[in-house]
Amino acid sequence: MTSTKIVFLSEKRDGRPQEAVHVDGHAEAVSWTDDPAMVAAAEAAVFGRLADPFAFFGPHATPHGVALRSFHPGATRVTAYARADNRLLAELVHWRDGLFVGELPEQIPYLLRVEWPDGAVQDGEDPYAFGPILSDFDLHLFSEGSLWRLPETFGARLDVIDGVPGVAFAVWAPNARRVSVIGDFNSWDGRRHPMRLRHAAGVWELFVPRLGGGERYKYEIVGPNGALLPQKADPLARAAEVPPATASLTAAPDQFAWSDAEWMAGRAERQSTAAPLSIYEVHVESWLHPSSGALDWDELARKLVPYVVDMGFTHVELLPVMGHPFSGSWGYQPLSLFAPMPRLGDRAAFARFVNACHRVGLGVILDWVPGHFPNDTHGLAEFDGTALYEHQDPREGLHKDWNTCIYNYGRREVQGFLIASALHWLEAFHLDGLRVDAVASMLYRDYSREAGEWLPNAHGGRENLEAIAFLRRLNSTVAERHPGVLTIAEESTAWPGVTASTWDGGLGFSYKWNMGWMHDTLQYAAHEPVHRQWHHHDFTFGLLYAFSERFVLPLSHDEVVHGKGSLLGRMPGDHWQRFANLRAYLGFMWAHPGKKLLFMGGEIAQEREWNHDGQIDWFLLDRPEHKGMQQLVRDLNRLYRDEAALHVADAEPLGFQWVVGDDQANSVFAFFRQAPGAAPLLCVFNMTPVPRTGYRIGVPHGGYWREMLNSDSALYGGGNLGNDGGIMSSTMGVHGYGHSLELTLPPLSALILRPEVS
């Protein structure tokens, strides 16, 4: 018989290397020396508790050559070959449970050939022959929360290292005892690919050679107490499986060929505060949902995009499209903050959709959720066995309303993770804005909490100082890196300075949803007209603060769910009055200072409450009153875009002037919208079903005033009462003006008139 000397460790006992003897190819004949460190390391490897895999696996220089250790449970044979010329370097000895050991004659690039019982043979480089993959500088930026290239650096990055293609994995888990990458490529065995810990940053990394795109993977983590945690999806994954499956997918670098240069070059001007901004809010999976299933991104590009353009909206806003495990959350409980939801297509498909929007002059805004995340076991919650992304104390870390976790905004790595997510959507997908969800819940530590259920800040107050700092940093970073991109806050309180600049102490958002306006005016519109005179202030109150912030007027998805019914369903009266009420209300909204947002279905007077599992009731367009509502919204958008008076000074007092604001008895309202160098528009609203004839309103210009819009037009399903398309002024002064118009106000109507001034 022959025996082969195999050196296991570079460590020595009494000045001699530790050895084992392999006799006649039988594993049971292998004997160890009594080195307890060697035995302990081998045992830890076999049982998946090896804290430092690079100190044990891979090549290690010894006085006799290069010791090589590799772990392949179930393999029948492992050999090492020179990568350059396929020369046999070593026949590795099987010790136990898949642990193979051998000795290389020299330190050169090598391949491992692994043979399996079914006859399969795998050739590839040894992951433990590669050095660190993350630079110290990137790790420093990560620890400071400033690594904006996070998804290109962490996660699963296709790379070529030392001429070898593969996937570089990196994940933050500072409190873990062991982290392994698992997937189909290693039979989901966490012992096969344990990762290297970069101690200073708490980041684990590993390069797995010869992997490509589309590989399923997760992380297997042993927590600080030694317990094996549920398998975790990658927080930085750029692609993921279709739910209910939960694995992450390796993804090739984005190589989409954009053709939206013209849009991007002019975006800042198109999205300035002086530009029109009319947003169509869409839940893409239920906008059109045929029996075959939801449309994918390419079908949406062919059907949704031309529809939104035809309707005259300037932007489409998408409810969150990040990967989320529960479709009933509409995307507002996302776990994949760097990956589009896979049900509608891959990353390139989403890019094609955005590109299609830009090619026809349509901006794209995306709902983005930094306020909370779901506690699914495969997600971020207790990611490394500790409250890593969230707060440990439920008084800080738990949203009772949604049973979700709250990010720890005071942790720099978490801030950096969230801001990198925002930048990723803007940069990888050319998005034009982010609507930031649930900002109010972020600003207040006592949000939706009773006494004793929240912790005060360092000064004893209720403000969340860390979240405030995060939001300011977010908006400053976005503004610096992407001038002209919009950030829009869903903020429902009277927090001051939401849209004020950060250097003036504000939060730095471009716009804020005017939730107060929405609540008050819908409440007014829901009253029977005979009672509206006692609620007159609900319609006018928004003008008291209309210029304290830059506002978007939202009729969003939140107003047509949870038993609230549809917009049409809130309108009182008989069938005709309900439609007339909604037409007048929409006319008031489009004339009111502030940018516009309408949730899908509102434009056709959807009768039922929104159902995220269904689709808009498009069949309603066979009925003239619904078709007329759609035409009204189309014409309101056209007028809003064409008339500078309606959009240029939306956020400035000079853009608005009351004419009639106190006619409670008749529920009539009239005001001017105006802008420097533009003709003023007179906007008049009769919010009762009683026609008003001879209603005199003062105007600054004599001559003919053309009726630019009449919501009672037969074109919109109305009774066609009005002023025959226009009216001449008289010299009878009223309301402080030297001229006046004697108008006929149709019942439940909106009129917009413009002087024909030479």
Side-chain angles (χ1 to χ4, degrees):
M1 295 192 305
T2 60
S3 64
T4 304
K5 181 184 291 183
I6 304 298
V7 180
F8 288 110
L9 289 176
S10 58
E11 292 88 346
K12 297 178 180 179
R13 175 187 290 272
D14 300 327
R16 294 177 288 109
Q18 305 305 297
E19 302 176 354
V21 178
H22 173 233
V23 181
D24 199 26
H26 295 290
E28 62 269 18
V30 176
S31 62
W32 288 81
T33 62
D34 61 349
D35 186 344
M38 182 65 208
V39 174
E43 292 283 334
V46 169
F47 290 104
R49 291 295 187 269
L50 194 60
D52 187 359
F54 280 83
F56 184 72
F57 294 141
H60 295 271
T62 76
H64 297 275
V66 179
L68 177 60
R69 309 177 198 95
S70 193
F71 190 57
H72 304 279
T76 58
R77 186 183 183 203
V78 178
T79 48
Y81 290 82
R83 177 146 52 101
D85 56 11
N86 208 35
R87 172 170 44 95
L88 178 64
L89 298 177
E91 177 91 21
L92 274 65
V93 176
H94 180 231
W95 173 53
R96 54 164 289 187
D97 297 323
L99 182 60
F100 289 81
V101 295
E103 182 179 328
L104 301 177
E106 55 185 321
Q107 185 92 23
I108 61 173
Y110 62 91
L111 297 172
L112 293 176
R113 179 165 297 164
V114 183
E115 301 177 26
W116 302 93
D118 61 1
V121 177
Q122 293 176 316
D123 284 349
E125 287 77 8
D126 185 352
Y128 299 96
F130 293 85
I133 59 177
L134 293 174
S135 72
D136 290 339
F137 181 66
D138 280 345
L139 290 173
H140 172 74
L141 288 179
F142 171 76
S143 296
E144 291 296 314
S146 301
L147 184 58
W148 305 142
R149 299 179 296 103
L150 197 57
E152 290 78 43
T153 309
F154 279 52
R157 171 171 50 90
L158 270 65
D159 203 352
V160 177
I161 298 180
D162 297 338
V164 179
V167 177
F169 295 93
V171 64
W172 181 51
N175 303 303
R177 287 192 184 182
R178 190 258 293 171
V179 178
S180 297
V181 59
I182 55 176
D184 294 327
F185 54 89
N186 61 14
S187 300
W188 301 89
D189 187 342
R191 301 172 300 167
R192 294 271 299 275
H193 288 95
M195 305 172 78
R196 172 195 284 116
L197 174 62
R198 305 294 294 275
H199 290 273
V203 172
W204 301 76
E205 61 174 18
L206 186 70
F207 178 67
V208 180
R210 305 296 170 178
L211 281 188
E215 293 276 359
R216 300 194 308 151
Y217 75 98
K218 285 185 178 180
Y219 294 113
E220 183 177 278
I221 300 175
V222 175
N225 62 356
L228 186 66
L229 304 180
Q231 296 176 352
K232 294 290 188 177
D234 189 350
L236 272 298
R238 295 166 57 252
E241 285 189 293
V242 178
T246 57
S248 304
L249 300 177
T250 60
D254 296 324
Q255 295 180 328
F256 182 72
W258 292 90
S259 57
D260 62 348
E262 182 179 354
W263 167 270
M264 298 295 283
R267 181 172 66 181
E269 182 178 354
R270 290 189 185 96
Q271 298 192 159
S272 72
T273 55
L277 180 62
S278 182
I279 303 167
Y280 187 62
E281 188 190 33
V282 176
H283 178 256
V284 291
E285 293 182 273
S286 61
W287 179 76
L288 181 63
H289 193 109
S291 58
S292 58
L295 305 183
D296 63 23
W297 288 117
D298 291 320
E299 292 169 317
L300 287 163
R302 291 191 295 269
K303 296 179 179 180
L304 173 63
V305 172
Y307 176 79
V308 178
V309 171
D310 175 68
M311 288 301 299
F313 290 95
T314 65
H315 288 68
V316 61
E317 179 176 319
L318 309 177
L319 271 63
V321 303
M322 300 82 179
H324 50 281
F326 175 48
S327 63
S329 76
W330 318 324
Y332 288 103
Q333 293 194 16
L335 277 181
S336 299
L337 262 64
F338 296 83
M341 57 183 176
R343 286 187 293 271
L344 303 187
D346 60 13
R347 295 173 63 86
F350 182 55
R352 287 195 297 272
F353 172 82
V354 177
N355 193 62
C357 291
H358 288 173
R359 291 291 300 274
V360 293
L362 185 65
V364 185
I365 298 169
L366 180 61
D367 276 16
W368 181 65
V369 187
H372 60 119
F373 61 90
N375 56 15
D376 298 60
T377 56
H378 70 281
L380 298 180
E382 295 191 340
F383 186 79
D384 66 354
T386 68
L388 187 62
Y389 287 87
E390 71 273 32
H391 292 274
Q392 178 67 45
D393 193 320
R395 292 174 295 177
E396 295 181 286
L398 178 67
H399 262 309
K400 294 177 59 181
D401 292 355
W402 306 310
N403 192 31
T404 52
C405 301
I406 301 173
Y407 287 104
N408 184 348
Y409 306 107
R411 192 156 196 170
R412 291 173 298 183
E413 297 93 339
V414 174
Q415 274 202 20
F417 170 79
L418 290 171
I419 295 175
S421 167
L423 294 175
H424 182 67
W425 293 98
L426 299 177
E427 294 168 359
F429 298 110
H430 287 202
L431 294 174
D432 306 297
L434 298 172
R435 177 264 194 185
V436 181
D437 179 63
V439 170
S441 75
M442 300 170 65
L443 293 175
Y444 300 96
R445 287 174 163 267
D446 63 346
Y447 179 86
S448 194
R449 296 177 187 272
E450 302 296 332
E453 295 180 344
W454 60 281
L455 295 177
N457 62 33
H459 306 296
R462 58 195 287 256
E463 300 82 7
N464 191 327
L465 303 179
E466 295 81 8
I468 295 166
F470 161 70
L471 291 170
R472 287 173 174 161
R473 190 179 184 208
L474 165 71
N475 287 316
S476 296
T477 304
V478 169
E480 177 184 353
R481 295 174 67 91
H482 301 286
V485 163
L486 304 176
T487 58
I488 304 171
E490 184 204 19
E491 204 286 307
S492 56
T493 74
W495 185 278
V498 171
T499 59
S501 65
T502 55
W503 56 83
D504 285 333
L507 297 182
F509 284 94
S510 308
Y511 294 99
K512 168 183 172 173
W513 274 18
N514 195 336
M515 311 291 281
W517 174 91
M518 174 274 299
H519 176 270
D520 292 344
T521 57
L522 281 178
Q523 181 173 272
Y524 175 88
H527 288 296
E528 292 286 346
V530 69
H531 299 140
R532 286 175 178 168
Q533 60 181 309
W534 288 286
H535 303 278
H536 195 79
H537 66 282
D538 284 341
F539 227 41
T540 62
F541 185 68
L543 276 308
L544 294 179
Y545 60 87
F547 311 109
S548 61
E549 302 272 9
R550 293 185 297 274
F551 283 118
V552 171
L553 309 180
L555 293 179
S556 75
H557 64 281
D558 281 329
E559 309 319 312
V560 292
V561 291
H562 302 318
K564 297 175 185 176
S566 65
L567 293 178
L568 182 68
R570 296 189 185 202
M571 301 297 120
D574 59 23
H575 182 80
W576 186 92
Q577 289 185 9
R578 289 167 59 224
F579 279 87
N581 260 303
L582 184 55
R583 290 194 301 267
Y585 178 79
L586 292 176
F588 179 77
M589 172 180 172
W590 257 258
H592 193 286
K595 309 305 183 184
K596 324 301 175 188
L597 180 142
L598 183 65
F599 183 58
M600 64 182 199
E603 80 278 13
I604 68 166
Q606 176 92 6
E607 294 184 337
R608 298 186 299 173
E609 185 171 279
W610 170 51
N611 174 15
H612 68 269
D613 289 325
Q615 67 173 1
I616 294 174
D617 290 334
W618 295 108
F619 65 85
L620 294 174
L621 290 176
D622 293 335
R623 304 172 186 175
E625 61 270 34
H626 293 275
K627 189 75 172 178
M629 191 72 69
Q630 185 188 50
Q631 186 60 47
L632 173 67
V633 173
R634 186 182 286 116
D635 287 351
L636 284 170
N637 274 328
R638 174 190 51 78
L639 190 64
Y640 172 65
R641 291 195 325 269
D642 292 349
E643 296 293 333
L646 286 178
H647 62 256
V648 167
D650 254 334
E652 301 175 58
L654 62 85
F656 176 87
Q657 179 63 54
W658 274 116
V659 184
V660 178
D662 56 357
D663 188 359
Q664 295 176 250
N666 293 308
S667 296
V668 171
F669 308 82
F671 52 75
F672 285 111
R673 291 301 312 278
Q674 50 207 15
L681 294 181
L682 175 63
C683 308
V684 187
F685 309 91
N686 176 14
M687 298 306 294
T688 69
V690 180
R692 310 288 177 186
T693 58
Y695 197 98
R696 189 170 296 277
I697 296 179
V699 293
H701 299 290
Y704 187 74
W705 285 68
R706 181 173 301 280
E707 215 171 56
M708 306 297 292
L709 184 133
N710 178 352
S711 69
D712 194 51
S713 168
L715 182 65
Y716 309 135
N720 225 29
L721 188 64
N723 300 278
D724 297 324
I727 187 172
M728 287 294 298
S729 69
S730 76
T731 56
M732 180 182 296
V734 67
H735 300 132
Y737 295 105
H739 305 270
S740 63
L741 304 177
E742 191 174 352
L743 295 170
T744 294
L745 306 184
L748 296 170
S749 66
L751 297 178
I752 299 178
L753 300 100
R754 184 181 190 271
E756 292 192 347
V757 181
S758 58

